[in-house]
Amino acid sequence: MDMDHDARGPAGTRRAPAGEAGVLAAFADLAAAGAAGADPVELTTRLCEHVVAVLPVAAAGVMVVDVGGALRVLGSSSTAAHLLDLLQVQDDAGPCRDCCRDGSAVTDDALDLAAEAPWPRFAAAVRAEGFGAVHALPLAARGRTHGALNLFAARGLDAATLAVAQALADATTLALLQADPDEDAVLVARRLHAAVVARTAVQQAVGVLRVRFDCTADEALGRLRDDAAATGRALVDVAAEAVRERR
C-alpha cells in the first residue's frame, strides 16, 4: 500500500505524515474532532482530506441518505469531488448510489470507466477530471447504511488501501452518529437532515466569499474552515455569520 505522497492536511492541521504515522494521525484527529462535537460537514470534510493526505487518492467525497432516501452531498476534499458527487445526485446513478442501495463497497470490475460503464455520464465526467478509477465505501452501523465515501484515484486501489479507507470511514460514521450505532433510526435521520441543511449554509457562504475575495470555491471553503479552527466555533456558525455580513 503506497501512502508516501504529498498532500495537504485538513484545515487547522499540518500536512499528515507519510505512511502508518499519517494513518494514525488521521484516526486521532477524527476521534478528537468527534469528541469535540465537530459538526457533520466539518467531520466528513476532514475524513475526505485525511484520505487524500495519507492514501494514493486524488479526491474524495461523502454523501448521505436523507429521510426520503435521496442522496445528499455532505463533505468533499475538492471542488472536483463535490461536482462529481452532485452529478450522482442529479442522475440518481453512480457508485455511491449503488453502495448506499446495496450496503456494500463498490470496488469490483463494474468500476471500469470505459464507455460501457454502468453509469456512462458519470464515468465520462470522472475521466474528464483526469481520474482513472473510483471506489465507493459504505458509511454504515449496525446493518444500516447512512451514506458512502467516494474515492477518486489515478488507478484502482488495492485491498490494503481500501481497508484503511474503510476503517477511517467507520470511525467517522460512529462520530457522525455521536458514537451510538443503536440510536433510533428517526433520530439518526433527523441528525443527517440537519447536516444536509448545514451543508447548504456552508455552500451559500462559499459563494459570498468567492465574490468578496475573488477566489476559488476551495479557497473560500479554506477561509471558512481556518476561521472556525482559529475561533473554536462550528463551521456552520462561521458560514452563517459570513452570509449575514453580506446583508
Side-chain angles (χ1 to χ4, degrees):
M1 176 176 57
D2 176 16
M3 296 187 293
D4 296 330
H5 66 290
D6 189 32
R8 293 181 59 84
T13 69
R14 294 186 180 275
R15 189 180 65 197
E20 292 184 6
V23 174
L24 293 175
F27 275 112
D29 180 69
L30 290 170
D39 63 78
V41 176
E42 174 66 19
L43 195 60
T44 54
T45 299
R46 280 179 181 245
L47 168 63
C48 293
E49 293 182 337
H50 278 308
V51 166
V52 171
V54 301
L55 299 174
V57 173
V62 169
M63 305 178 75
V64 295
V65 182
D66 70 10
V67 291
L71 284 179
R72 302 296 180 191
V73 179
L74 196 56
S76 58
S77 66
S78 67
T79 300
H82 181 70
L83 293 176
L84 288 171
D85 282 348
L86 285 177
L87 180 60
Q88 293 189 75
V89 173
Q90 179 180 334
D91 290 355
D92 194 28
C96 192
R97 161 51 69 198
D98 293 353
C99 179
C100 291
R101 180 192 62 210
D102 302 332
S104 56
V106 180
T107 60
D108 57 19
D109 292 340
L111 284 172
D112 178 14
L113 294 179
E116 63 272 16
W119 342 272
R121 204 160 87 98
F122 173 76
V126 171
R127 292 196 305 272
E129 290 291 345
F131 304 127
V134 57
H135 302 267
L137 305 177
L139 300 179
R142 294 288 187 178
R144 179 181 293 273
T145 302
H146 300 285
L149 169 66
N150 275 336
L151 306 174
F152 302 95
R155 55 186 178 277
L157 304 174
D158 62 32
T161 298
L162 290 172
V164 173
Q166 183 66 70
L168 288 168
D170 291 343
T172 303
T173 302
L174 290 179
L176 188 64
L177 302 182
Q178 296 189 0
D180 187 1
D182 290 322
E183 189 173 36
D184 183 85
V186 174
L187 294 179
V188 170
R190 287 174 179 170
R191 181 170 295 131
L192 292 178
H193 174 72
V196 171
V197 172
R199 176 69 194 188
T200 300
V202 172
Q203 288 174 321
Q204 290 176 335
V206 165
V208 170
L209 295 189
R210 287 190 67 183
V211 173
R212 183 183 302 168
F213 297 106
D214 189 24
C215 61
T216 67
D218 287 342
E219 290 169 341
L221 179 59
R223 283 177 176 269
L224 290 172
R225 297 186 67 218
D226 287 344
D227 191 1
T231 60
R233 292 182 295 165
L235 178 62
V236 65
D237 292 336
V238 174
E241 181 179 75
V243 173
R244 285 196 302 270
E245 289 177 350
R246 180 192 62 174
R247 296 170 180 170

